[in-house]
Amino acid sequence: MIGAIIGDIVGSRYEFGPPPERDFPLFTDDCGYTDDTICTVAVADAILHGRPYREALHEWCRRYPRPKGGYGPRFQDWIESDNPLPNNSFGNGAAMRVSPVGWLFDDFEQVMHEARRSAEVSHCHSEGIKGAQCTAELIFWLRTLRITKSEVEGKVKKFYGYDIPPLKDIKRIGALGHFDSICQETVPWAIRCFLDANDFEETIRLAVMCDGDTDTKAAIAGSIAEAYYEVPEWMVEKAMSYLPQDMLSVLEQFYEHQQRNL
């Protein structure tokens, strides 16, 4: 979960500007949490407290109505509705918020079921659900050591049909000004950043350097990388310094739950 939040905060200041160089500073005063973090916290809150995903997402997003970068137009309409209904969206928001599912459930079928449920309250298109399930499943596979890193690309292709392009192609597309806002692009591109990195920090850096939806790509890549690499403690502490107390409380409960279930 913290991997997604770190990726979101680091990527937040580059979403609408040119990509940085490799040695860019990870955390600056221009960084901040976005809708990715708010929705990730909401999903964790729903699971930890037995709340419906729709209720938790609606409440948290209304609590924070103007995050850095704002919400996508269709999701903004969903938030503003007093009776929010699923829309046929395959936006990458379904995948960027799902990481708590991959950590808080220890049965594969339940992970898949809950990933679907977390997505379909707002993103009920099959591609939106697939993006959420793929991300949650990878986290589950990697943290439980069911697959190795070298097996990821083949498994993703076999079970989800995602072609994972080379990093140079992703960067080239980003350099042309393309903004990857859909699951079919952002999820496999985030996976490539994880696959080509040698540690957690490099995963985040690669995702941001690919341009486009930098905060969401880095959030998804970071959520996957957390399940495989050790997250540097200094990065955890720095990311937490950006968060308000109610988010920190959910994050603390999340990791307390993890410790009890080791």
PDB file of all heavy atoms in Angstrom, residues 176-204:
ATOM      1  N   LEU A 176       5.907  11.867 -27.220  1.00  0.00           N
ATOM      2  CA  LEU A 176       5.013  12.414 -28.252  1.00  0.00           C
ATOM      3  C   LEU A 176       3.807  13.130 -27.643  1.00  0.00           C
ATOM      4  O   LEU A 176       2.953  13.637 -28.364  1.00  0.00           O
ATOM      5  CB  LEU A 176       4.534  11.286 -29.171  1.00  0.00           C
ATOM      6  CG  LEU A 176       5.615  10.610 -30.028  1.00  0.00           C
ATOM      7  CD1 LEU A 176       5.030   9.410 -30.763  1.00  0.00           C
ATOM      8  CD2 LEU A 176       6.212  11.608 -31.008  1.00  0.00           C
ATOM      9  N   GLY A 177       3.742  13.127 -26.309  1.00  0.00           N
ATOM     10  CA  GLY A 177       2.653  13.823 -25.636  1.00  0.00           C
ATOM     11  C   GLY A 177       1.454  12.958 -25.318  1.00  0.00           C
ATOM     12  O   GLY A 177       0.414  13.468 -24.883  1.00  0.00           O
ATOM     13  N   HIS A 178       1.582  11.632 -25.518  1.00  0.00           N
ATOM     14  CA  HIS A 178       0.446  10.753 -25.234  1.00  0.00           C
ATOM     15  C   HIS A 178       0.263  10.593 -23.730  1.00  0.00           C
ATOM     16  O   HIS A 178       1.233  10.413 -22.990  1.00  0.00           O
ATOM     17  CB  HIS A 178       0.669   9.385 -25.872  1.00  0.00           C
ATOM     18  CG  HIS A 178      -0.446   8.414 -25.591  1.00  0.00           C
ATOM     19  ND1 HIS A 178      -1.688   8.528 -26.179  1.00  0.00           N
ATOM     20  CD2 HIS A 178      -0.508   7.336 -24.772  1.00  0.00           C
ATOM     21  CE1 HIS A 178      -2.460   7.551 -25.742  1.00  0.00           C
ATOM     22  NE2 HIS A 178      -1.771   6.818 -24.890  1.00  0.00           N
ATOM     23  N   PHE A 179      -0.980  10.646 -23.270  1.00  0.00           N
ATOM     24  CA  PHE A 179      -1.306  10.528 -21.848  1.00  0.00           C
ATOM     25  C   PHE A 179      -2.031   9.195 -21.637  1.00  0.00           C
ATOM     26  O   PHE A 179      -3.132   8.989 -22.129  1.00  0.00           O
ATOM     27  CB  PHE A 179      -2.197  11.699 -21.416  1.00  0.00           C
ATOM     28  CG  PHE A 179      -2.337  11.839 -19.924  1.00  0.00           C
ATOM     29  CD1 PHE A 179      -1.383  12.519 -19.196  1.00  0.00           C
ATOM     30  CD2 PHE A 179      -3.427  11.289 -19.261  1.00  0.00           C
ATOM     31  CE1 PHE A 179      -1.510  12.660 -17.815  1.00  0.00           C
ATOM     32  CE2 PHE A 179      -3.563  11.421 -17.890  1.00  0.00           C
ATOM     33  CZ  PHE A 179      -2.605  12.114 -17.160  1.00  0.00           C
ATOM     34  N   ASP A 180      -1.400   8.301 -20.903  1.00  0.00           N
ATOM     35  CA  ASP A 180      -1.952   6.955 -20.712  1.00  0.00           C
ATOM     36  C   ASP A 180      -2.979   6.955 -19.568  1.00  0.00           C
ATOM     37  O   ASP A 180      -2.629   6.788 -18.422  1.00  0.00           O
ATOM     38  CB  ASP A 180      -0.834   5.949 -20.420  1.00  0.00           C
ATOM     39  CG  ASP A 180       0.069   6.396 -19.279  1.00  0.00           C
ATOM     40  OD1 ASP A 180       0.558   7.539 -19.312  1.00  0.00           O
ATOM     41  OD2 ASP A 180       0.287   5.602 -18.345  1.00  0.00           O
ATOM     42  N   SER A 181      -4.228   7.082 -19.903  1.00  0.00           N
ATOM     43  CA  SER A 181      -5.265   7.198 -18.871  1.00  0.00           C
ATOM     44  C   SER A 181      -6.108   5.939 -18.723  1.00  0.00           C
ATOM     45  O   SER A 181      -7.031   5.910 -17.908  1.00  0.00           O
ATOM     46  CB  SER A 181      -6.185   8.378 -19.200  1.00  0.00           C
ATOM     47  OG  SER A 181      -6.843   8.163 -20.451  1.00  0.00           O
ATOM     48  N   ILE A 182      -5.808   4.898 -19.510  1.00  0.00           N
ATOM     49  CA  ILE A 182      -6.642   3.698 -19.485  1.00  0.00           C
ATOM     50  C   ILE A 182      -5.849   2.502 -18.971  1.00  0.00           C
ATOM     51  O   ILE A 182      -4.627   2.439 -19.111  1.00  0.00           O
ATOM     52  CB  ILE A 182      -7.235   3.382 -20.877  1.00  0.00           C
ATOM     53  CG1 ILE A 182      -6.133   3.157 -21.911  1.00  0.00           C
ATOM     54  CG2 ILE A 182      -8.155   4.526 -21.318  1.00  0.00           C
ATOM     55  CD1 ILE A 182      -6.639   2.746 -23.287  1.00  0.00           C
ATOM     56  N   CYS A 183      -6.571   1.543 -18.397  1.00  0.00           N
ATOM     57  CA  CYS A 183      -5.921   0.374 -17.806  1.00  0.00           C
ATOM     58  C   CYS A 183      -5.096  -0.402 -18.821  1.00  0.00           C
ATOM     59  O   CYS A 183      -4.009  -0.894 -18.496  1.00  0.00           O
ATOM     60  CB  CYS A 183      -6.980  -0.560 -17.201  1.00  0.00           C
ATOM     61  SG  CYS A 183      -7.495  -0.096 -15.529  1.00  0.00           S
ATOM     62  N   GLN A 184      -5.604  -0.525 -20.052  1.00  0.00           N
ATOM     63  CA  GLN A 184      -4.925  -1.332 -21.068  1.00  0.00           C
ATOM     64  C   GLN A 184      -3.520  -0.818 -21.366  1.00  0.00           C
ATOM     65  O   GLN A 184      -2.669  -1.581 -21.844  1.00  0.00           O
ATOM     66  CB  GLN A 184      -5.720  -1.360 -22.375  1.00  0.00           C
ATOM     67  CG  GLN A 184      -7.140  -1.863 -22.244  1.00  0.00           C
ATOM     68  CD  GLN A 184      -8.149  -0.755 -22.072  1.00  0.00           C
ATOM     69  OE1 GLN A 184      -8.085  -0.025 -21.087  1.00  0.00           O
ATOM     70  NE2 GLN A 184      -9.072  -0.618 -23.007  1.00  0.00           N
ATOM     71  N   GLU A 185      -3.266   0.457 -21.102  1.00  0.00           N
ATOM     72  CA  GLU A 185      -1.942   1.024 -21.313  1.00  0.00           C
ATOM     73  C   GLU A 185      -1.167   1.117 -20.005  1.00  0.00           C
ATOM     74  O   GLU A 185      -0.047   0.608 -19.899  1.00  0.00           O
ATOM     75  CB  GLU A 185      -2.058   2.417 -21.938  1.00  0.00           C
ATOM     76  CG  GLU A 185      -2.571   2.403 -23.369  1.00  0.00           C
ATOM     77  CD  GLU A 185      -2.682   3.782 -23.961  1.00  0.00           C
ATOM     78  OE1 GLU A 185      -2.780   4.780 -23.199  1.00  0.00           O
ATOM     79  OE2 GLU A 185      -2.669   3.885 -25.196  1.00  0.00           O
ATOM     80  N   THR A 186      -1.751   1.766 -19.011  1.00  0.00           N
ATOM     81  CA  THR A 186      -0.998   2.080 -17.802  1.00  0.00           C
ATOM     82  C   THR A 186      -0.560   0.836 -17.044  1.00  0.00           C
ATOM     83  O   THR A 186       0.563   0.789 -16.527  1.00  0.00           O
ATOM     84  CB  THR A 186      -1.819   2.993 -16.877  1.00  0.00           C
ATOM     85  OG1 THR A 186      -2.282   4.126 -17.612  1.00  0.00           O
ATOM     86  CG2 THR A 186      -0.978   3.481 -15.712  1.00  0.00           C
ATOM     87  N   VAL A 187      -1.409  -0.178 -16.960  1.00  0.00           N
ATOM     88  CA  VAL A 187      -1.040  -1.368 -16.183  1.00  0.00           C
ATOM     89  C   VAL A 187       0.153  -2.091 -16.797  1.00  0.00           C
ATOM     90  O   VAL A 187       1.162  -2.318 -16.103  1.00  0.00           O
ATOM     91  CB  VAL A 187      -2.252  -2.306 -16.002  1.00  0.00           C
ATOM     92  CG1 VAL A 187      -1.810  -3.629 -15.351  1.00  0.00           C
ATOM     93  CG2 VAL A 187      -3.314  -1.639 -15.130  1.00  0.00           C
ATOM     94  N   PRO A 188       0.128  -2.474 -18.083  1.00  0.00           N
ATOM     95  CA  PRO A 188       1.323  -3.133 -18.624  1.00  0.00           C
ATOM     96  C   PRO A 188       2.546  -2.234 -18.640  1.00  0.00           C
ATOM     97  O   PRO A 188       3.675  -2.711 -18.474  1.00  0.00           O
ATOM     98  CB  PRO A 188       0.896  -3.554 -20.034  1.00  0.00           C
ATOM     99  CG  PRO A 188      -0.314  -2.758 -20.350  1.00  0.00           C
ATOM    100  CD  PRO A 188      -0.981  -2.489 -19.058  1.00  0.00           C
ATOM    101  N   TRP A 189       2.369  -0.943 -18.824  1.00  0.00           N
ATOM    102  CA  TRP A 189       3.518  -0.032 -18.812  1.00  0.00           C
ATOM    103  C   TRP A 189       4.119   0.051 -17.410  1.00  0.00           C
ATOM    104  O   TRP A 189       5.348   0.090 -17.259  1.00  0.00           O
ATOM    105  CB  TRP A 189       3.096   1.346 -19.298  1.00  0.00           C
ATOM    106  CG  TRP A 189       2.697   1.382 -20.751  1.00  0.00           C
ATOM    107  CD1 TRP A 189       2.594   0.309 -21.605  1.00  0.00           C
ATOM    108  CD2 TRP A 189       2.345   2.527 -21.511  1.00  0.00           C
ATOM    109  NE1 TRP A 189       2.192   0.724 -22.852  1.00  0.00           N
ATOM    110  CE2 TRP A 189       2.029   2.083 -22.832  1.00  0.00           C
ATOM    111  CE3 TRP A 189       2.248   3.887 -21.233  1.00  0.00           C
ATOM    112  CZ2 TRP A 189       1.639   2.949 -23.848  1.00  0.00           C
ATOM    113  CZ3 TRP A 189       1.853   4.756 -22.244  1.00  0.00           C
ATOM    114  CH2 TRP A 189       1.560   4.291 -23.530  1.00  0.00           C
ATOM    115  N   ALA A 190       3.275   0.077 -16.392  1.00  0.00           N
ATOM    116  CA  ALA A 190       3.780   0.084 -15.014  1.00  0.00           C
ATOM    117  C   ALA A 190       4.518  -1.220 -14.704  1.00  0.00           C
ATOM    118  O   ALA A 190       5.548  -1.225 -14.015  1.00  0.00           O
ATOM    119  CB  ALA A 190       2.628   0.288 -14.036  1.00  0.00           C
ATOM    120  N   ILE A 191       4.004  -2.320 -15.204  1.00  0.00           N
ATOM    121  CA  ILE A 191       4.659  -3.614 -14.997  1.00  0.00           C
ATOM    122  C   ILE A 191       6.049  -3.603 -15.631  1.00  0.00           C
ATOM    123  O   ILE A 191       7.015  -4.114 -15.062  1.00  0.00           O
ATOM    124  CB  ILE A 191       3.799  -4.759 -15.565  1.00  0.00           C
ATOM    125  CG1 ILE A 191       2.496  -4.887 -14.762  1.00  0.00           C
ATOM    126  CG2 ILE A 191       4.566  -6.089 -15.532  1.00  0.00           C
ATOM    127  CD1 ILE A 191       1.482  -5.823 -15.390  1.00  0.00           C
ATOM    128  N   ARG A 192       6.173  -3.016 -16.825  1.00  0.00           N
ATOM    129  CA  ARG A 192       7.487  -2.931 -17.469  1.00  0.00           C
ATOM    130  C   ARG A 192       8.479  -2.159 -16.612  1.00  0.00           C
ATOM    131  O   ARG A 192       9.650  -2.538 -16.496  1.00  0.00           O
ATOM    132  CB  ARG A 192       7.363  -2.271 -18.852  1.00  0.00           C
ATOM    133  CG  ARG A 192       8.699  -1.958 -19.524  1.00  0.00           C
ATOM    134  CD  ARG A 192       9.586  -3.188 -19.658  1.00  0.00           C
ATOM    135  NE  ARG A 192       9.012  -4.147 -20.573  1.00  0.00           N
ATOM    136  CZ  ARG A 192       9.397  -5.429 -20.631  1.00  0.00           C
ATOM    137  NH1 ARG A 192      10.335  -5.877 -19.810  1.00  0.00           N
ATOM    138  NH2 ARG A 192       8.825  -6.249 -21.496  1.00  0.00           N
ATOM    139  N   CYS A 193       8.027  -1.088 -15.999  1.00  0.00           N
ATOM    140  CA  CYS A 193       8.914  -0.307 -15.129  1.00  0.00           C
ATOM    141  C   CYS A 193       9.415  -1.165 -13.972  1.00  0.00           C
ATOM    142  O   CYS A 193      10.598  -1.101 -13.605  1.00  0.00           O
ATOM    143  CB  CYS A 193       8.199   0.941 -14.617  1.00  0.00           C
ATOM    144  SG  CYS A 193       7.759   2.107 -15.925  1.00  0.00           S
ATOM    145  N   PHE A 194       8.540  -1.965 -13.397  1.00  0.00           N
ATOM    146  CA  PHE A 194       8.946  -2.885 -12.337  1.00  0.00           C
ATOM    147  C   PHE A 194       9.937  -3.917 -12.861  1.00  0.00           C
ATOM    148  O   PHE A 194      10.966  -4.196 -12.240  1.00  0.00           O
ATOM    149  CB  PHE A 194       7.711  -3.573 -11.751  1.00  0.00           C
ATOM    150  CG  PHE A 194       8.021  -4.814 -10.966  1.00  0.00           C
ATOM    151  CD1 PHE A 194       8.706  -4.735  -9.761  1.00  0.00           C
ATOM    152  CD2 PHE A 194       7.623  -6.066 -11.424  1.00  0.00           C
ATOM    153  CE1 PHE A 194       9.000  -5.888  -9.034  1.00  0.00           C
ATOM    154  CE2 PHE A 194       7.902  -7.216 -10.713  1.00  0.00           C
ATOM    155  CZ  PHE A 194       8.601  -7.135  -9.519  1.00  0.00           C
ATOM    156  N   LEU A 195       9.662  -4.480 -14.014  1.00  0.00           N
ATOM    157  CA  LEU A 195      10.507  -5.547 -14.557  1.00  0.00           C
ATOM    158  C   LEU A 195      11.908  -5.053 -14.906  1.00  0.00           C
ATOM    159  O   LEU A 195      12.890  -5.799 -14.760  1.00  0.00           O
ATOM    160  CB  LEU A 195       9.846  -6.153 -15.795  1.00  0.00           C
ATOM    161  CG  LEU A 195       8.570  -6.955 -15.565  1.00  0.00           C
ATOM    162  CD1 LEU A 195       7.981  -7.407 -16.897  1.00  0.00           C
ATOM    163  CD2 LEU A 195       8.833  -8.157 -14.671  1.00  0.00           C
ATOM    164  N   ASP A 196      12.022  -3.814 -15.360  1.00  0.00           N
ATOM    165  CA  ASP A 196      13.319  -3.298 -15.787  1.00  0.00           C
ATOM    166  C   ASP A 196      14.123  -2.666 -14.656  1.00  0.00           C
ATOM    167  O   ASP A 196      15.275  -2.280 -14.862  1.00  0.00           O
ATOM    168  CB  ASP A 196      13.134  -2.270 -16.905  1.00  0.00           C
ATOM    169  CG  ASP A 196      12.902  -2.932 -18.258  1.00  0.00           C
ATOM    170  OD1 ASP A 196      12.511  -4.118 -18.279  1.00  0.00           O
ATOM    171  OD2 ASP A 196      13.081  -2.268 -19.288  1.00  0.00           O
ATOM    172  N   ALA A 197      13.533  -2.560 -13.488  1.00  0.00           N
ATOM    173  CA  ALA A 197      14.219  -1.944 -12.348  1.00  0.00           C
ATOM    174  C   ALA A 197      14.966  -2.997 -11.522  1.00  0.00           C
ATOM    175  O   ALA A 197      14.649  -4.190 -11.574  1.00  0.00           O
ATOM    176  CB  ALA A 197      13.218  -1.202 -11.472  1.00  0.00           C
ATOM    177  N   ASN A 198      15.911  -2.515 -10.743  1.00  0.00           N
ATOM    178  CA  ASN A 198      16.685  -3.396  -9.867  1.00  0.00           C
ATOM    179  C   ASN A 198      16.332  -3.229  -8.396  1.00  0.00           C
ATOM    180  O   ASN A 198      16.826  -3.987  -7.560  1.00  0.00           O
ATOM    181  CB  ASN A 198      18.184  -3.126 -10.058  1.00  0.00           C
ATOM    182  CG  ASN A 198      18.646  -3.507 -11.450  1.00  0.00           C
ATOM    183  OD1 ASN A 198      18.495  -4.650 -11.863  1.00  0.00           O
ATOM    184  ND2 ASN A 198      19.200  -2.541 -12.176  1.00  0.00           N
ATOM    185  N   ASP A 199      15.503  -2.252  -8.086  1.00  0.00           N
ATOM    186  CA  ASP A 199      15.064  -2.070  -6.708  1.00  0.00           C
ATOM    187  C   ASP A 199      13.813  -1.197  -6.710  1.00  0.00           C
ATOM    188  O   ASP A 199      13.336  -0.764  -7.765  1.00  0.00           O
ATOM    189  CB  ASP A 199      16.164  -1.457  -5.831  1.00  0.00           C
ATOM    190  CG  ASP A 199      16.721  -0.145  -6.365  1.00  0.00           C
ATOM    191  OD1 ASP A 199      15.965   0.621  -7.008  1.00  0.00           O
ATOM    192  OD2 ASP A 199      17.912   0.128  -6.158  1.00  0.00           O
ATOM    193  N   PHE A 200      13.291  -0.934  -5.526  1.00  0.00           N
ATOM    194  CA  PHE A 200      12.044  -0.173  -5.421  1.00  0.00           C
ATOM    195  C   PHE A 200      12.210   1.249  -5.948  1.00  0.00           C
ATOM    196  O   PHE A 200      11.392   1.736  -6.743  1.00  0.00           O
ATOM    197  CB  PHE A 200      11.567  -0.135  -3.966  1.00  0.00           C
ATOM    198  CG  PHE A 200      10.307   0.670  -3.778  1.00  0.00           C
ATOM    199  CD1 PHE A 200       9.070   0.097  -4.015  1.00  0.00           C
ATOM    200  CD2 PHE A 200      10.365   2.004  -3.395  1.00  0.00           C
ATOM    201  CE1 PHE A 200       7.900   0.845  -3.880  1.00  0.00           C
ATOM    202  CE2 PHE A 200       9.205   2.750  -3.242  1.00  0.00           C
ATOM    203  CZ  PHE A 200       7.975   2.163  -3.488  1.00  0.00           C
ATOM    204  N   GLU A 201      13.264   1.913  -5.518  1.00  0.00           N
ATOM    205  CA  GLU A 201      13.445   3.311  -5.928  1.00  0.00           C
ATOM    206  C   GLU A 201      13.563   3.436  -7.442  1.00  0.00           C
ATOM    207  O   GLU A 201      12.973   4.334  -8.055  1.00  0.00           O
ATOM    208  CB  GLU A 201      14.687   3.900  -5.261  1.00  0.00           C
ATOM    209  CG  GLU A 201      14.919   5.357  -5.641  1.00  0.00           C
ATOM    210  CD  GLU A 201      16.110   5.989  -4.939  1.00  0.00           C
ATOM    211  OE1 GLU A 201      16.450   5.558  -3.810  1.00  0.00           O
ATOM    212  OE2 GLU A 201      16.692   6.929  -5.521  1.00  0.00           O
ATOM    213  N   GLU A 202      14.305   2.530  -8.068  1.00  0.00           N
ATOM    214  CA  GLU A 202      14.455   2.601  -9.513  1.00  0.00           C
ATOM    215  C   GLU A 202      13.125   2.363 -10.220  1.00  0.00           C
ATOM    216  O   GLU A 202      12.857   2.954 -11.275  1.00  0.00           O
ATOM    217  CB  GLU A 202      15.497   1.598 -10.003  1.00  0.00           C
ATOM    218  CG  GLU A 202      15.811   1.755 -11.481  1.00  0.00           C
ATOM    219  CD  GLU A 202      16.869   0.802 -11.988  1.00  0.00           C
ATOM    220  OE1 GLU A 202      17.208  -0.176 -11.273  1.00  0.00           O
ATOM    221  OE2 GLU A 202      17.354   1.020 -13.116  1.00  0.00           O
ATOM    222  N   THR A 203      12.284   1.514  -9.657  1.00  0.00           N
ATOM    223  CA  THR A 203      10.955   1.302 -10.230  1.00  0.00           C
ATOM    224  C   THR A 203      10.181   2.610 -10.307  1.00  0.00           C
ATOM    225  O   THR A 203       9.586   2.944 -11.340  1.00  0.00           O
ATOM    226  CB  THR A 203      10.157   0.291  -9.386  1.00  0.00           C
ATOM    227  OG1 THR A 203      10.858  -0.950  -9.319  1.00  0.00           O
ATOM    228  CG2 THR A 203       8.779   0.058  -9.977  1.00  0.00           C
ATOM    229  N   ILE A 204      10.196   3.357  -9.219  1.00  0.00           N
ATOM    230  CA  ILE A 204       9.487   4.643  -9.178  1.00  0.00           C
ATOM    231  C   ILE A 204      10.094   5.616 -10.179  1.00  0.00           C
ATOM    232  O   ILE A 204       9.371   6.301 -10.932  1.00  0.00           O
ATOM    233  CB  ILE A 204       9.524   5.233  -7.757  1.00  0.00           C
ATOM    234  CG1 ILE A 204       8.869   4.275  -6.743  1.00  0.00           C
ATOM    235  CG2 ILE A 204       8.849   6.603  -7.729  1.00  0.00           C
ATOM    236  CD1 ILE A 204       7.430   3.977  -6.997  1.00  0.00           C
TER     237      ILE A 204
END
